[in-house]
Amino acid sequence: MAAEATRLLEQHVPADGPGMAVLVARGDEILYRGARGKASIELGVPLSPDHVFRIGSVTKQFAAAGLLKLVDEGKVALDDPLSRFLPDYPNGDAITVAQLLNHTSGIQSYTSIPSYMDQDIRRDVDTDALIAVFKDKPAPFAPGSDWDYNNSGYVLVGAVIEKASGKGWSAYLDEVLFKPLSLDHTRDGAGLAIVAGHASGYSTGSDGFSRATPISMTQPHAAGALLSTVDDLWRWNRALHGGKVLSADSYMRMTTPEGKAAENGRNYGYGIFRTTVRNRTAFEHGGGINGFLSDLFYLPDSGVSVAVLRNADGEGGATVGLIARKLAAVAIGDPYPEQVAVAMAPAELKALEGVYRKDADNARVLRMRDGALTSQRSGGPVFTLVPLGNDRFGFGDGSLSLLEIDRDASGAPTGLRLISGGEGEGELWTRSQEALPDAPVTVELPREALDRVVGQYEAEGISWRVFFDDAGMLRVQVPGQPAFALLPMSPTLFRIAEVDARFEFGPETGDVQTCRLEQGAVRIEARRKPD
């Protein structure tokens, strides 16, 4: 375990950049506990597994358990309407407590409100002021009719805790969870108090590392405001899944997806995703917040816990979960096999080129580029596939996912199967008769043509900024995401090379007023914000 953990940390975490802390345990036995990188780049302080991190949405697990404690005490019922606790909340009679917990309430997530993550997220708020931000926003869907990951729902989970307990949401969690379970380093991150051992947070991108963008830690609330350590998260797993926190009925509800939360691969309980590791049941949740990333796994059959905490956001978010999953597999004695490339003739790869469809809105294009076969899903990045033999391909960079070619009796390719996480039969994409689309071509434009599209653009639920970076590169950035180079295809049409996204600006002459974003099946019309 130590050798594999060390290898993964050295592979993914630079020694002189933001770090990562890891703890792997089987039951009460710690199999590995270590860290790599810096807790403070400026001061040259090495990261330690003792350091405290923001855990982002892993907070939801604690908030859900806190509310379920109130259910066990008879102070709240899962089918209670929200209006019982917040009488003035719009449509509160139709929204249940359970729907807040499993993201089926239909309430708009406040972190998706255009421009909110730019400046408003830095403002200190109390519970009522935060609810006022989103309570009157249009509902994306009727309660219970769909599933959409929703931070507003967990702000309301915190509000229900406050109304039912008579205490602040985090004060209540401290009283019923943190203190009784000796989670000595788990606490609300809001306020100005100095937290001993708190690692500094950074952002990563194509240009290296920078300080994380500011945020008031009153804003994440019960959706993501907690701080913790790898040791506390391990103790939390042992207590929650060991029957020391909730009644058997409440624990079953927390870990069993239901309704729309169980459909279409969502598998979301209450603050917990139900997934698999090497075909064994696993409970997992990740988190991302300004400057930090987190992931927490628990495998009930073996009692294996894996906690991974990183003091950087941005690029590499998927790596935190990937490392946690790989270490969990090692801990159960069934590691994922290494993907070893094999040689394939260019003509064999060329024969696989084409458009493969999951449905009318989702296509995957296989195309030869620079002698290698690549895969790009509608609206997604381009991956260079790694031939593994027997019509299987990997996605590189340590990914566990596989792409497997289906053929007919004559050997002609008829489709592909995408095997996420390298497990199961996979998802079938059928080869269509469509012609391979032309590869996008970038053109050069004068500086004045590029200046014309610079600005802030806003649409319902999303915003983006077009700007020049310090090196003079035109870039586009959605709040909370990395900035991508924006490459011109014409004076009005631009693209992002890393993903299948295009931006069309209008009108063709004069001041730009609109921007149309096309990414896969998504079409968004935005208006330019006046200077």
Side-chain angles (χ1 to χ4, degrees):
M1 177 59 70
E4 179 63 6
T6 299
R7 184 185 72 83
L8 288 170
L9 287 172
E10 290 178 350
Q11 178 183 354
H12 293 286
V13 181
D16 58 351
M20 185 180 291
V22 173
L23 186 146
V24 185
R26 187 188 300 116
D28 291 327
E29 178 189 7
I30 294 178
L31 304 179
Y32 177 80
R33 181 178 182 272
R36 177 177 168 86
K38 301 295 185 185
S40 171
I41 297 174
E42 297 92 328
L43 299 177
V45 178
L47 189 71
S48 157
D50 293 325
H51 275 107
V52 176
F53 297 72
R54 294 175 183 170
I55 62 171
S57 286
V58 177
T59 297
K60 292 180 173 69
Q61 204 166 107
F62 292 92
L67 196 153
L68 288 169
K69 292 280 284 186
L70 292 167
V71 171
D72 286 342
E73 294 171 5
K75 296 178 181 179
V76 178
L78 289 170
D79 58 358
D80 277 343
L82 178 59
S83 57
R84 177 186 169 190
F85 306 97
L86 299 176
D88 297 329
Y89 197 90
N91 203 32
D93 290 337
I95 300 167
T96 68
V97 169
Q99 289 166 351
L100 299 177
L101 287 164
N102 67 10
H103 301 301
T104 61
S105 68
I107 295 167
Q108 183 175 140
S109 186
Y110 69 104
T111 51
S112 297
I113 296 172
S115 300
Y116 192 81
M117 299 297 287
D118 289 339
Q119 294 292 333
D120 290 340
I121 200 72
R122 306 179 185 189
R123 177 171 55 95
D124 287 344
V125 292
D126 60 16
T127 300
D128 290 341
L130 186 53
I131 292 173
V133 169
F134 58 81
K135 66 181 295 185
D136 295 318
K137 296 293 182 182
F141 55 85
S145 67
D146 205 347
W147 184 93
D148 193 28
Y149 192 84
N150 186 339
N151 287 314
S152 294
Y154 269 78
V155 172
L156 294 170
V157 166
V160 171
I161 289 173
E162 292 182 347
K163 296 293 184 180
S165 69
K167 302 178 177 67
W169 71 271
S170 59
Y172 174 76
L173 296 186
D174 186 63
E175 178 182 303
V176 302
L177 297 178
F178 307 156
K179 282 187 170 65
L181 300 175
S182 298
L183 306 182
D184 298 332
H185 300 287
T186 303
R187 52 166 293 170
D188 188 356
L192 299 177
I194 294 172
V195 178
H198 195 321
S200 298
Y202 300 91
S203 290
T204 62
S206 58
D207 298 328
F209 309 119
S210 63
R211 298 288 298 176
T213 55
I215 182 175
S216 166
M217 288 299 289
T218 63
Q219 292 270 353
H221 207 265
L226 291 182
L227 313 177
S228 194
T229 63
V230 291
D231 294 276
D232 272 13
L233 293 178
W234 165 49
R235 295 187 187 99
W236 167 246
N237 265 354
R238 296 295 294 151
L240 175 66
H241 301 292
K244 298 178 181 178
V245 177
L246 301 173
S247 69
D249 286 345
S250 287
Y251 177 76
M252 183 64 66
R253 291 293 297 272
M254 185 177 186
T255 56
T256 306
E258 56 192 9
K260 290 295 181 180
E263 297 178 10
N264 301 320
R266 306 299 188 185
N267 288 326
Y268 197 92
Y270 301 159
I272 287 177
F273 283 99
R274 193 182 188 104
T275 183
T276 60
V277 172
R278 303 299 280 156
N279 297 310
R280 280 87 155 179
T281 296
F283 301 126
E284 184 263 349
H285 210 294
I289 192 170
N290 301 42
F292 296 85
L293 294 166
S294 58
D295 211 282
L296 180 64
F297 266 89
Y298 183 78
L299 281 66
D301 290 346
S302 58
V304 164
S305 291
V306 182
V308 180
L309 299 176
R310 179 149 169 75
N311 63 324
D313 59 29
E315 294 182 2
T319 302
V320 173
L322 178 66
I323 289 175
R325 180 175 290 274
K326 286 186 173 183
L327 292 177
V330 174
I332 60 175
D334 191 10
Y336 288 95
E338 288 295 315
Q339 296 186 358
V340 180
V342 301
M344 279 188 72
E348 293 180 280
L349 298 173
K350 185 75 174 176
L352 302 178
E353 282 192 326
V355 178
Y356 298 74
R357 284 202 169 273
K358 176 184 174 183
D359 51 43
D361 294 327
N362 291 279
R364 184 177 293 273
V365 175
L366 300 192
R367 185 197 304 271
M368 290 288 288
R369 291 187 181 182
D370 300 324
L373 188 66
T374 65
S375 170
Q376 184 175 33
R377 179 177 179 166
S378 303
V382 177
F383 291 97
T384 299
L385 297 177
V386 180
L388 303 174
N390 298 318
D391 273 339
R392 283 196 162 195
F393 295 81
F395 287 83
D397 291 332
S399 171
L400 300 173
S401 295
L402 299 169
L403 188 152
E404 186 175 82
I405 301 299
D406 277 2
R407 298 181 185 270
D408 62 19
S410 69
T414 59
L416 62 82
R417 292 186 180 274
L418 182 67
I419 306 172
S420 297
E423 299 183 2
E425 294 183 358
E427 179 182 72
L428 179 61
W429 296 60
T430 303
R431 192 179 193 185
S432 77
Q433 299 303 311
E434 301 167 66
L436 197 67
D438 293 335
V441 177
T442 300
V443 301
E444 290 190 16
L445 293 178
R447 174 65 185 238
E448 56 267 25
L450 302 179
D451 286 335
R452 184 171 170 268
V453 303
V454 169
Q456 181 79 27
Y457 297 86
E458 296 189 346
E460 183 64 35
I462 191 172
S463 65
W464 57 86
R465 180 171 64 105
V466 177
F467 64 100
F468 287 102
D469 65 16
D470 293 340
M473 171 68 74
L474 188 69
R475 292 187 178 274
V476 60
Q477 184 173 31
V478 173
Q481 297 186 16
F484 293 99
L486 197 57
L487 306 177
M489 302 170 66
S490 78
T492 59
L493 186 62
F494 293 70
R495 69 183 179 92
I496 297 175
E498 292 87 348
V499 296
D500 184 21
R502 301 190 181 198
F503 297 79
E504 186 170 6
F505 298 89
E508 293 185 6
T509 60
D511 293 337
V512 168
Q513 301 294 331
T514 64
C515 180
R516 176 185 174 90
L517 166 61
E518 296 186 4
Q519 187 172 13
V522 175
R523 304 288 187 273
I524 299 175
E525 301 284 350
R527 295 199 63 82
R528 186 180 185 181
K529 188 176 180 181
D531 294 335

